[in-house]
């Protein structure tokens, strides 16, 4: 508080001097007034560095608002002066101003350097409000060049700081940014969850502008999830509120555009175009670039659906140019994909390939799946932090209740003691005198025992701490080695993905331009199959990486395993037919239901791998059998083939990764030795068991068991 009073006294003194000396000075700009105050402060003897530093920051901030190129000059002077002095708050403000300057001048990487330095300083000095502000700026910088993982990390961090302050409006803004990041990577259920939180908070705070924006976002999320009636309910509620609240055309334009998108998805193109035209008119009137990008793309999609390709391309190219001026990488990526699709439908394959290549260059610049998993981990971290804070509040409340209870208890005891003292003073004195010596001896003996126990506990604690430190050091070394290995595998796999995708895209476009009866079409089809196999091998490596990092996110549900196996058998019918192999699955029994609580996606991958291996290693004109039966309280599934079998030596390394066994596929199929290791990981994750029974030249049986669903 002393620091705050000092700053106010300086402002008051210099402002009075300015008004007395220059009565007409108030007619100039705010920056001119600040320049005069700085000139007066520099004349003071001795110099007041704190006041000069504060004025330099204010001048830099004002010039930045005015768009002046001189802003950097005064921000740099403030930072130099802040490094010479010990005024931490003003030095922190200078660092933030540097970051804002580079952010506004399209140098996000440079801005991130200053924001990170400012954030470290704010955390060190426990400036929670500043930490929240800086984290929000960092999230915006990372999001500007499509680094969604880093962006959402800082948005979560900003939300945590706003919750500590507390600042409800800042917290709503941070949660809205988190929801928007999830929406950008098509995690619509996650984004809907956070958009609803924003909507509920805005209703409580009676913030109509935030409420209208939240209604638009909730409606858009429902639209992407296919809940069109729900989407229209929220969006029309937002339009009604916008009509009641005058002077908010941007939000109304966004709501109208979102309603048009709902009708577009339902293929009601006439109704959709009516809403898009209204939104486009508003966007042009207010000259709001972001709305022009979205509505322009919506109009392009609507006209393309009606096969009016010239108008579709006009609006699509307009949306792209605006997004390029904004340097919004995410919107540019969406526009590239749309233009490639429109040119392809219009039979202009050269332009389609041009925009397809631009789309994939942006799309492959970051790993979409890795970002989603990272978002989930960040979300869990944020939820745990909220829970920890709630637990702290409960503990504090409990301690306060305990203190109040103890106070009441002490009051009661005191009343009883006073009553007894007044009633029988002589008896109390006698007992006190008799027990005083005995009590003192007991306390001394107990204190000695407690002291010995404390020494023993301290000794044990010290040895445990030393052992924990040694274990932590070794664990860190192992973790670093594992991370280096995972980074190498991930980088290699992701670097392979981009050229494979480009080759596949070029082959598909080439296939569209030739006669299907031409012999070249057959060669192209084989080339596409080869790229699919290569992509499958890369996906296997990435799946194994996700498993090794324990990033599995399971959604357990009640599954009928006979239905799951039927689906798998049907998907492999063509592959089996090519080798004249019979797939046999007994029909479902009316009096037996083979149900278990499992993740459907992982269960499908388990049996697809097992059935794929059985077909690969089986000779032609044989049979692969799938059997289901109860075994105690478990469901047992057996996949049996009539192939060459597996030796005892090979069975010992069957479920290890990158293992090439002595048995080889019978028709020259590829195998990289990852399938069974992935199967083992999935089975273990769902608390099941898997083993193999086989002998050379006697076929092979893989047995999988899961816990039975209890009725």
């Amino acid at each position: 508080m002393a620091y705050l009073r000092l700053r106010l006294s300086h402002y008051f003194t210099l402002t009075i001097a300015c008004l007395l000396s220059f009565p007409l000075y108030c007619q100039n700009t705010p920056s001119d007034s600040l320049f005069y105050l700085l000139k007066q402060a520099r004349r003071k003897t001795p110099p007041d560095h704190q006041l000069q530093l504060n004025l330099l920051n204010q001048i830099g901030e004002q010039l930045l608002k005015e768009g002046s190129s001189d802003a950097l000059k005064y921000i740099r002077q403030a930072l130099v002066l802040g490094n010479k002095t010990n005024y931490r708050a003003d030095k922190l403000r200078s660092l933030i101003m540097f970051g804002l300057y580079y952010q506004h001048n399209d140098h996000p990487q440079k801005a991130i350097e200053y924001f990170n330095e400012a954030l470290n300083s704010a955390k060190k000095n426990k400036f929670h409000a500043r930490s929240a502000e800086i984290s929000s700026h960092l999230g915006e910088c990372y999001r500007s060049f499509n680094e969604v993982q880093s962006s959402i990390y800082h948005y979560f961090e900003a939300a945590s700081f706003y919750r500590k302050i507390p600042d409800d409006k800042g917290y709503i803004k941070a949660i809205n940014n988190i929801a928007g990041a999830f929406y950008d990577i098509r995690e619509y259920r996650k984004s809907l969850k956070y958009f609803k939180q924003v909507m509920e908070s805005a209703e409580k705070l009676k913030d109509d502008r935030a409420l209208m924006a939240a209604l638009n976002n909730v409606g858009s999320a429902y639209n992407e999830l296919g809940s069109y009636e729900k989407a229209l309910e929220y969006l029309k509620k937002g339009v009604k509120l916008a009509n009641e609240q005058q002077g908010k055309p941007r939000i109304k334009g966004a709501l109208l555009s979102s309603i048009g998108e709902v009708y577009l998805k339902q293929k009601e193109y006439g109704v959709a175009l009516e809403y898009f035209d209204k939104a486009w008119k508003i966007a042009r009137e207010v000259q709001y670039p972001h709305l022009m990008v979205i509505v322009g793309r919506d109009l392009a999609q609507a006209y393309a659906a009606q096969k009016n390709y010239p108008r579709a391309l006009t609006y699509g190219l307009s949306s792209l140019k605006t997004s390029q001026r904004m340097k919004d990488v995410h919107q540019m990526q969406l526009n590239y994909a749309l233009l490639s699709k429109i040119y392809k439908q219009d039979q202009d394959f050269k332009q389609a390939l041009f925009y397809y290549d631009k789309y994939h260059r942006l799309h492959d610049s970051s790993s979409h799946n890795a970002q989603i998993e990272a978002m989930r981990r960040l979300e869990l971290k944020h939820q745990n932090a909220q829970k920890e804070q709630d637990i702290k509040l409960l503990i504090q409340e409990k301690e306060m209740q305990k203190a109040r209870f103890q106070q009441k208890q002490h009051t009661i005891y005191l009343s009883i003691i006073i009553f007894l003292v007044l009633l029988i003073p002589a008896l109390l004195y006698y007992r006190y005198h008799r027990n005083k010596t005995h009590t003192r001896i007991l306390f001394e003996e107990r204190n000695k025992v407690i002291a010995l126990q404390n020494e023993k506990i301290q000794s044990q604690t010290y040895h445990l701490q030393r052992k924990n430190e040694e274990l932590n050091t070794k664990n860190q070394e192992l973790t670093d080695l594992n991370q280096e290995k995972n980074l190498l595998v991930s980088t290699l796999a992701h670097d392979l993905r981009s050229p494979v995708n480009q080759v596949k895209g070029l082959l598909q476009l080439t296939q569209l331009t030739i006669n299907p009866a031409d012999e070249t079409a057959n060669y192209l089809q084989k080339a596409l199959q080869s790229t699919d196999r290569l992509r499958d091998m890369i996906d296997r490596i990435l799946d194994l990486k996700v498993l090794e990092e324990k990033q599995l996110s399971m959604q357990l549900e009640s599954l009928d395993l006979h239905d799951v196996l039927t689906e798998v058998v049907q998907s492999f019918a063509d592959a089996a037919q090519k080798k004249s192999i019979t797939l046999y699955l007994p029909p479902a029994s009316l009096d037996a239901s083979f149900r278990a609580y499992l993740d459907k996606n992982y269960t499908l991958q388990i049996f697809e791998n097992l059935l794929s291996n059985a077909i690969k290693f089986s000779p032609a004109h044989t049979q692969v059998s799938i059997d289901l039966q109860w075994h105690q309280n478990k469901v047992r599934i057996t996949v049996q083939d009539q192939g060459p079998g597996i030796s005892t030596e090979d069975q010992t390394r069957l479920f290890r990764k990158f293992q090439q066994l002595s048995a080889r596929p019978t028709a020259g199929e590829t195998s990289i030795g990852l399938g069974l290791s992935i199967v083992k990981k999935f089975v273990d994750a769902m608390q099941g068991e898997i083993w193999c029974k086989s002998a050379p030249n006697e076929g092979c049986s893989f047995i999988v068991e899961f816990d039975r669903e209890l009725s």
Side-chain angles (χ1 to χ4, degrees), residues 239-367:
V239 171
K240 182 181 178 182
L241 186 59
N243 289 330
E244 294 173 358
Q245 300 288 331
Q246 298 297 326
K248 295 182 175 61
R250 292 183 180 182
I251 298 178
K252 183 177 178 181
L255 287 162
L256 291 171
S257 175
S258 298
I259 293 174
E261 289 173 0
V262 177
Y263 286 111
L264 180 62
K265 282 208 169 189
Q266 298 179 81
K267 298 184 179 180
E268 296 184 27
Y269 304 125
V271 181
L273 281 171
E274 289 180 10
Y275 282 100
F276 290 151
D277 287 337
K278 292 178 182 177
W280 180 253
K281 183 178 179 182
I282 292 174
R284 295 292 296 273
E285 288 177 355
V286 299
Q287 286 296 305
Y288 184 36
H290 184 72
L291 185 59
M292 292 174 72
V293 169
I294 293 173
V295 180
R297 188 166 56 249
D298 288 336
L299 284 164
Q301 289 176 332
Y303 281 117
Q306 293 182 326
K307 298 184 179 180
N308 189 344
Y309 300 121
R311 297 206 69 180
L313 290 171
T314 299
Y315 285 108
L317 291 170
S318 173
S319 177
L320 174 61
K321 289 178 181 177
T322 307
S323 64
Q324 288 173 335
R325 285 198 300 271
M326 294 168 60
K327 297 184 180 180
D328 190 327
V329 177
H330 177 70
Q331 296 295 338
M332 288 163 60
Q333 182 178 327
L334 295 176
N335 284 325
Y336 286 141
L338 176 62
L339 286 169
S340 177
K341 180 180 177 183
I342 295 172
Y343 276 116
K344 182 179 176 182
Q345 292 172 351
D346 197 26
Q347 302 295 312
D348 189 344
F349 298 113
K350 182 178 179 180
Q351 288 294 339
L353 178 59
F354 174 77
Y355 286 106
Y356 178 86
D357 183 63
K358 281 186 171 291
Y359 164 74
H360 271 285
R361 286 179 186 274
L362 285 180
H363 183 72
D364 291 336
S365 62
S366 59
S367 172

Side-chain angles (χ1 to χ4, degrees), residues 544-672:
L544 184 63
K545 174 181 175 291
V546 172
L547 290 170
E548 288 180 342
E549 292 179 353
K550 298 182 180 179
Q551 296 176 349
L552 286 176
S553 177
M554 293 191 297
Q555 296 182 355
L556 300 180
E557 60 181 309
S558 177
L559 296 178
D560 188 331
L561 289 174
H562 191 277
D563 292 345
V564 174
L565 288 169
T566 301
E567 181 179 344
V568 174
V569 168
Q570 290 173 353
S571 66
F572 281 90
D574 292 340
Q577 187 177 4
K578 289 179 181 178
K579 295 181 69 175
S580 300
I581 293 174
T582 304
L583 302 180
Y584 176 73
L585 172 67
S589 176
L590 296 176
D591 57 350
S593 176
F594 299 93
R595 304 191 74 86
Y597 274 103
L598 304 169
D599 183 287
K600 185 173 182 180
N601 183 35
Y602 297 152
T603 306
L604 283 169
Q605 291 190 51
I606 289 169
F607 294 117
E608 285 173 355
N609 271 286
L610 293 179
L611 195 57
S612 174
N613 284 345
I615 294 171
K616 281 182 184 179
F617 293 92
S618 293
H621 306 291
T622 58
Q623 177 174 290
V624 175
S625 304
I626 302 98
D627 183 48
L628 282 95
Q629 58 180 336
W630 294 118
H631 184 73
Q632 296 179 355
N633 288 328
K634 296 182 180 294
V635 183
R636 176 176 288 183
I637 306 96
T638 304
V639 179
Q640 183 177 8
D641 61 46
Q642 298 175 356
I646 302 174
S647 66
T648 304
E649 180 183 355
D650 283 347
Q651 289 184 36
T652 60
R653 51 197 181 91
L654 192 61
F655 296 103
R656 300 177 189 171
K657 59 184 179 180
F658 300 112
Q659 295 295 317
Q660 297 291 339
L661 307 182
S662 57
R664 306 305 300 165
T666 59
E669 296 96 330
T670 59
S671 174
I672 62 171

Side-chain angles (χ1 to χ4, degrees), residues 668-688:
E669 296 96 330
T670 59
S671 174
I672 62 171
L674 285 175
L676 289 177
S677 65
I678 293 174
V679 167
K680 176 66 173 172
K681 293 284 187 179
F682 284 150
V683 171
D684 290 345
M686 294 187 288
Q687 299 181 351

Side-chain angles (χ1 to χ4, degrees), residues 88-233:
R88 293 173 294 181
D90 287 311
K91 180 183 176 182
L92 175 61
R93 186 179 179 187
S94 300
L95 290 170
I96 296 172
M97 293 302 301
F98 255 112
L100 289 172
Y101 175 83
Y102 285 114
Q103 183 182 5
H104 291 167
N105 286 277
D106 296 326
H107 295 290
Q109 292 288 2
K110 194 78 174 176
I112 286 170
E113 293 179 15
Y114 285 100
F115 283 141
N116 278 326
E117 185 179 353
L119 183 60
N120 291 332
S121 176
K123 287 180 178 178
K124 182 179 179 180
N125 294 292
K126 296 183 179 180
F127 297 154
H128 295 320
R130 284 294 193 188
S131 298
E133 175 190 351
I134 299 164
S135 296
S136 296
H137 289 317
L138 279 167
E140 292 169 4
C141 287
Y142 280 112
R143 195 171 178 184
S144 68
F145 49 85
N146 215 23
E147 282 286 344
V148 184
Q149 177 181 346
S150 301
S151 171
I152 203 167
Y153 169 80
H154 288 290
Y155 286 147
F156 271 125
E157 193 173 37
S160 177
F161 283 120
Y162 280 126
R163 191 177 175 89
K164 285 180 182 178
I165 298 174
D167 182 347
D168 292 334
K169 289 189 175 181
Y171 181 76
I172 289 175
K173 182 180 178 182
I175 294 298
N176 192 65
N177 287 333
I178 292 168
F182 277 118
Y183 190 92
D184 287 346
I185 59 171
R186 300 180 183 178
E187 283 286 293
Y188 300 120
R189 293 195 182 278
K190 293 288 186 184
S191 67
L192 179 61
K193 170 186 171 183
Y194 289 107
F195 280 142
K196 282 191 173 181
Q197 285 187 21
V198 174
M199 182 178 69
E200 292 168 0
S201 300
E203 287 178 338
K204 289 180 182 178
L205 295 174
K206 296 181 179 179
D207 188 338
D208 291 333
R209 191 181 188 284
L211 178 58
M212 285 186 286
L215 288 168
N216 178 64
N217 294 333
V218 170
S220 297
Y222 271 122
N223 183 34
E224 294 296 341
L225 291 169
S227 300
Y228 303 126
E229 292 184 2
K230 277 277 188 184
L232 288 173
E233 176 187 342

Side-chain angles (χ1 to χ4, degrees), residues 522-544:
N522 184 34
Y523 295 150
L524 287 174
Q525 184 60 34
K526 290 181 179 179
L528 282 170
Q529 291 173 354
S530 297
T531 55
D532 288 339
R533 286 197 296 273
L534 180 57
R535 181 61 184 264
D536 181 63
M537 293 167 69
I538 294 170
D539 289 343
R540 290 291 181 87
I541 293 172
L542 291 176
D543 287 345
L544 184 63

